[in-house]
Amino acid sequence: MSGLSLDDLGYRFDDEGVLRTVKDGKTFEFVDQAHYDMLGEAVDEEIYKRLVEDCGLEKKLLRPPGKVDDYEDEDLAFVFVSKDWKKAQKLLVLVHGSGVVRAGQWARRLIINYNLECGTQFPYIKRALALGWGVVVMNTNMTATLDQDYKYSNSPVEHAESVWKTYITPSKADQVFLVAHSRGGTDMADLKKHGLDERVNIICLTDSPWFDIPRALWDRKTPFFAINFLARGSVKTADYAPREYKKGFVQDLYSGTKTHEFSSHCAIDAIFYILQNLTLENHKETMVEAQKLVHKEPEKEDILKRGREEKKKDGDDDGEPKVKKARQEDEAGPSTSS
């Protein structure tokens, strides 16, 4: 890691969450891969800081209960939790996807090229806290450095397992909600075990086509709901037709965008509608209402892209993010191996 801050690199986020140069207020321009990687690491640290300062979360080392060891702090991964994670009646667990993204992020490319609103998990965290829910933010890509593996977090699945044992199982929540992006869905493989906890009853996925409900969950006393907001087709796609609930069924819905990285941003209203309203009796009706909410969601993405086009016309920006020319180590789409 370079250890350089955004300020060291001459950047800052403005009041609208747009990354700009300190010197002249210009938006990000790609220089080379090394510079982009350094900037990305500085963004990671900035997001960590804002999770605490802006979202009010606490940074916690990931050491499962009952573990007695002599590991130093630097040997351990960390996560972020709300102050009331243990006693809140409802608990929201956020899981990012693959690549270089870390806790609090959906997509580094969106953070750097668009804004914090669409690229981070901040909107989910703040909305959950406003509803009085507890929040746990996983950091599943924090598995190793060049020199060592992190203890209790050697892989994304082990990280998730450690988070379950440390923060989800001990919580007093009546309901546990999961929102997972892309590979984050497969990181929830531990649902084979922890999904038997009757409190874990809804998982909303954003463009995570690999997720299947483990067979072990089919015999729960209460239903387990899984909704996958995909970034292909349209709201009229036949496979997205709302259906009645049945065991082992994953309801696919349109996310409101055909861009993989934008799926979490565009589906947020529909996701929270589901988390707040879904029951066994109203499953189909809730899916219908959720799907209505994504009718207008493409406007979010369109506004951002139109904004870049306007800047291009004004000579302030070059339109589409130059980072597309860089090596794609960010959260990748479902057509790749992420």
Side-chain angles (χ1 to χ4, degrees):
M1 292 183 62
S2 67
L4 297 175
S5 67
L6 282 180
D7 191 59
D8 293 332
L9 295 171
Y11 280 92
R12 65 176 180 83
F13 285 105
D14 67 16
D15 292 342
E16 296 181 349
V18 177
L19 187 67
R20 296 186 180 277
T21 58
V22 174
K23 182 179 179 180
D24 51 24
K26 288 187 176 181
T27 51
F28 170 73
E29 293 186 10
F30 182 73
V31 177
D32 56 37
Q33 190 64 46
H35 175 264
Y36 178 70
D37 290 342
M38 283 194 297
L39 182 62
E41 291 176 1
V43 165
D44 293 345
E45 294 303 317
E46 180 69 17
I47 299 304
Y48 289 155
K49 183 177 77 171
R50 289 176 180 245
L51 284 170
V52 175
E53 295 180 358
D54 296 350
C55 298
L57 303 187
E58 296 180 337
K59 179 180 175 181
K60 297 285 190 179
L61 292 175
L62 189 54
R63 179 183 276 111
K67 294 291 184 180
V68 178
D69 58 54
D70 57 358
Y71 297 134
E72 301 292 335
D73 289 358
E74 56 266 25
D75 295 326
L76 302 173
F78 54 81
V79 297
F80 293 83
V81 299
S82 60
K83 293 180 175 62
D84 63 345
W85 68 269
K86 196 167 188 176
K87 62 182 181 180
Q89 287 189 323
K90 299 181 189 296
L91 189 65
L92 176 66
V93 182
L94 299 175
V95 190
H96 57 60
S98 65
V100 296
V101 288
R102 296 292 186 268
Q105 303 180 40
W106 293 127
R108 176 184 285 181
R109 183 176 76 87
L110 299 188
I111 295 170
I112 290 177
N113 291 281
Y114 291 95
N115 60 39
L116 295 171
E117 178 78 10
C118 67
T120 72
Q121 297 172 351
F122 296 170
Y124 282 80
I125 295 167
K126 292 178 179 179
R127 192 176 295 195
L129 293 175
L131 290 168
W133 300 354
V135 175
V136 174
V137 179
M138 291 195 188
N139 204 5
T140 52
N141 289 331
M142 192 177 185
T143 57
T145 66
L146 294 175
D147 302 318
Q148 66 175 8
D149 292 337
Y150 287 110
K151 309 303 179 184
Y152 316 122
S153 186
N154 286 318
S155 70
V157 171
E158 185 184 41
H159 178 98
E161 168 73 10
S162 295
V163 173
W164 278 107
K165 291 178 179 178
T166 310
Y167 294 106
I168 300 172
T169 299
S171 78
K172 294 181 172 60
D174 296 327
Q175 284 184 289
V176 177
F177 304 135
L178 307 177
V179 176
H181 176 61
S182 193
R183 193 210 63 203
T186 55
D187 290 346
M188 293 299 98
D190 279 321
L191 284 172
K192 293 176 183 177
K193 186 190 311 181
H194 300 292
L196 295 175
D197 181 339
E198 300 286 335
R199 303 174 305 159
V200 182
N201 67 335
I202 302 177
I203 180 169
C204 286
L205 305 148
T206 56
D207 211 26
S208 181
W210 312 277
F211 182 84
D212 289 311
I213 298 178
R215 182 93 187 178
L217 273 66
W218 291 23
D219 296 326
R220 287 169 35 129
K221 294 178 181 177
T222 56
F224 178 80
F225 303 105
I227 303 92
N228 197 353
F229 289 87
L230 298 173
R232 61 173 181 265
S234 73
V235 73
K236 297 180 180 179
T237 299
D239 289 343
Y240 298 156
R243 307 174 191 176
E244 300 291 347
Y245 172 82
K246 66 178 181 179
K247 289 183 179 179
F249 169 62
V250 177
Q251 171 71 66
D252 290 338
L253 294 178
Y254 181 52
S255 66
T257 177
K258 292 183 176 65
T259 305
H260 175 68
E261 299 95 328
F262 271 107
S263 56
S264 300
H265 173 62
C266 288
I268 185 171
D269 290 338
I271 286 174
F272 272 90
Y273 183 84
I274 287 170
L275 298 181
Q276 291 178 262
N277 294 283
L278 181 60
T279 66
L280 178 61
E281 292 74 23
N282 70 11
H283 181 273
K284 184 174 181 179
E285 292 78 8
T286 301
M287 296 304 113
V288 170
E289 291 303 313
Q291 193 72 115
K292 288 178 182 178
L293 289 171
V294 301
H295 269 284
K296 60 183 180 181
E297 294 310 308
E299 186 177 346
K300 289 185 177 181
E301 182 182 347
D302 292 342
I303 289 172
L304 290 168
K305 290 184 175 180
R306 283 200 302 270
R308 295 195 71 89
E309 287 301 314
E310 289 302 317
K311 290 174 183 175
K312 182 179 179 182
K313 292 176 184 177
D314 294 338
D316 182 45
D317 190 74
D318 64 344
E320 275 302 298
K322 285 189 177 180
V323 72
K324 284 189 174 179
K325 300 175 184 177
R327 184 174 67 250
Q328 292 299 303
E329 291 185 346
D330 199 359
E331 161 49 37
S335 61
T336 74
S337 59
S338 73

